[in-house]
C-alpha cells in the first residue's frame, strides 16, 4: 500500500471517529463540539476563525497582546492559520458555556451592566476588541469574553481575592476558583470532534488531537 493510500485510509478513520466524538455523547455530522446538548457547528467555528484572521492581521495592538506572555488566555506569537487557531477559538466557545454553567450553579448573575464594566476596563488596557482578537476570536465575541471574565472575577472576589495578584488571599481564591471550574466542567457533558482534540476536564482546556493527520475537510474553507 502506498504512503498516499495509507494516509487516505487513516484520514477516513479520523473522519469516521469525528462522527461519534468522545466523552459526552455522539456528535452529528458537521459538529465541532457538543456541550450539554448545545451544538457548536464546524461552520460556525470556521466562520469565526476566518473573520478573526482578517481582523487580526489588521490589528497591530492585538498582535502585540497575543505575543505578550501576560495574556489572560492562551496567547502565543502570531502564526499562519492552522488547526491550532481552530482549537483555540473552539476552546473559548466551550469556555463560554462552562462560565454560564458556573454562573448558574454558583449563583453569580452577570448583568449586561457588569459586562459593560469589564469591556470598559479592557478598553483601558489596550482595547477590548483587540484583546478578543488576541485571544483568537473576532471582535463580535468581545462581550462573550467579557462575560467569562466577569463570572470568574466575581467568583474569585467572593472567595476572598483582593485584586492584588501577589497576596496570599488572592492566590487562595484563584485556587478555589480553579477548583469550581474543574468541578463544573467535570459535571457537564462535553464532547469534542476528535479532529480538534479532546476535552481535558482536569485542566478545563481542549488538548490537541493525538493523531498527526487531519480529517479530509480540515481547515478553513
Amino acid at each position: 500500500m502506498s504512503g498516499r493510500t495509507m494516509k487516505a485510509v487513516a484520514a477516513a478513520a479520523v473522519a469516521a471517529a469525528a462522527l461519534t466524538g468522545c466523552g459526552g455523547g455522539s456528535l452529528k455530522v458537521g459538529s465541532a463540539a457538543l456541550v450539554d446538548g448545545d451544538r457548536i457547528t464546524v461552520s460556525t467555528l470556521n466562520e469565526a476563525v476566518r473573520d478573526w484572521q482578517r481582523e487580526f492581521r489588521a490589528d497591530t495592538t492585538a498582535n502585540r497582546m497575543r505575543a505578550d506572555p501576560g495574556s489572560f488566555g492562551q496567547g502565543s506569537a502570531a502564526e499562519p492559520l492552522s488547526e491550532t487557531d481552530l482549537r483555540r477559538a473552539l476552546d473559548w466557545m466551550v469556555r463560554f458555556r462552562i462560565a454560564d454553567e458556573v454562573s448558574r450553579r454558583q449563583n453569580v448573575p452577570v448583568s449586561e451592566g457588569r459586562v459593560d464594566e469589564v469591556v470598559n476596563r479592557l478598553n483601558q488596557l489596550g482595547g477590548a476588541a483587540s484583546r478578543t482578537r488576541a485571544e483568537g476570536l473576532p471582535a463580535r465575541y468581545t462581550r462573550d469574553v467579557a462575560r467569562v471574565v466577569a463570572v470568574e472575577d466575581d467568583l474569585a472576589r467572593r472567595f476572598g481575592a483582593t485584586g492584588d495578584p501577589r497576596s496570599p488571599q488572592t492566590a487562595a481564591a484563584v485556587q478555589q476558583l480553579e477548583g469550581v471550574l474543574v468541578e463544573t466542567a467535570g459535571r457537564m457533558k462535553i464532547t469534542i470532534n476528535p479532529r480538534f482534540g479532546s476535552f481535558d476536564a482536569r485542566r478545563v482546556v481542549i488538548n490537541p488531537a493525538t493523531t498527526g493527520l487531519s480529517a479530509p475537510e480540515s481547515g478553513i474553507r
Side-chain angles (χ1 to χ4, degrees):
M1 183 180 292
S2 69
R4 179 176 299 178
T5 302
M6 290 178 66
K7 288 183 178 180
V9 171
V14 172
L19 304 183
T20 58
C22 58
S26 61
L27 285 174
K28 294 182 179 179
V29 175
S31 297
L34 190 65
V35 183
D36 277 352
D38 186 10
R39 183 170 175 248
I40 302 171
T41 66
V42 173
S43 61
T44 296
L45 179 61
N46 281 356
E47 181 182 9
V49 178
R50 186 185 299 115
D51 291 345
W52 163 79
Q53 180 187 37
R54 184 182 64 256
E55 294 179 17
F56 182 73
R57 285 174 174 170
D59 190 333
T60 56
T61 300
N63 276 266
R64 288 197 303 272
M65 288 178 174
R66 191 171 179 178
D68 180 5
S71 169
F72 63 75
Q74 300 177 19
S76 61
E79 60 184 51
L81 188 66
S82 66
E83 292 291 334
T84 299
D85 298 315
L86 292 164
R87 187 177 67 256
R88 181 180 289 113
L90 183 59
D91 194 270
W92 268 106
M93 291 177 182
V94 171
R95 189 173 172 184
F96 296 154
R97 289 153 176 81
I98 294 173
D100 286 344
E101 185 66 8
V102 168
S103 175
R104 186 185 69 82
R105 286 175 177 265
Q106 298 295 321
N107 192 25
V108 184
V110 175
S111 66
E112 291 303 308
R114 178 69 175 106
V115 174
D116 289 339
E117 290 178 11
V118 175
V119 170
N120 290 336
R121 189 174 75 193
L122 293 175
N123 281 333
Q124 295 171 4
L125 297 174
S130 291
R131 172 57 66 187
T132 301
R133 295 184 186 113
E135 295 302 321
L137 291 170
R140 66 175 178 273
Y141 286 94
T142 295
R143 294 187 68 80
D144 297 291
V145 171
R147 187 170 286 103
V148 172
V149 174
V151 170
E152 295 182 358
D153 184 60
D154 290 355
L155 192 54
R157 289 180 182 277
R158 177 191 291 180
F159 293 152
T162 64
D164 179 0
R166 298 168 297 180
S167 74
Q169 295 93 332
T170 297
V174 169
Q175 187 173 13
Q176 193 170 353
L177 169 63
E178 292 174 349
V180 168
L181 293 173
V182 169
E183 180 184 6
T184 302
R187 291 177 178 274
M188 298 174 71
K189 294 181 179 180
I190 301 175
T191 306
I192 305 298
N193 185 322
R195 167 184 145 193
F196 304 111
S198 59
F199 187 71
D200 184 348
R202 293 172 298 180
R203 296 172 57 233
V204 195
V205 69
I206 298 176
N207 289 327
T210 55
T211 177
L213 296 173
S214 297
E217 296 184 358
S218 63
I220 296 298
R221 290 174 178 254

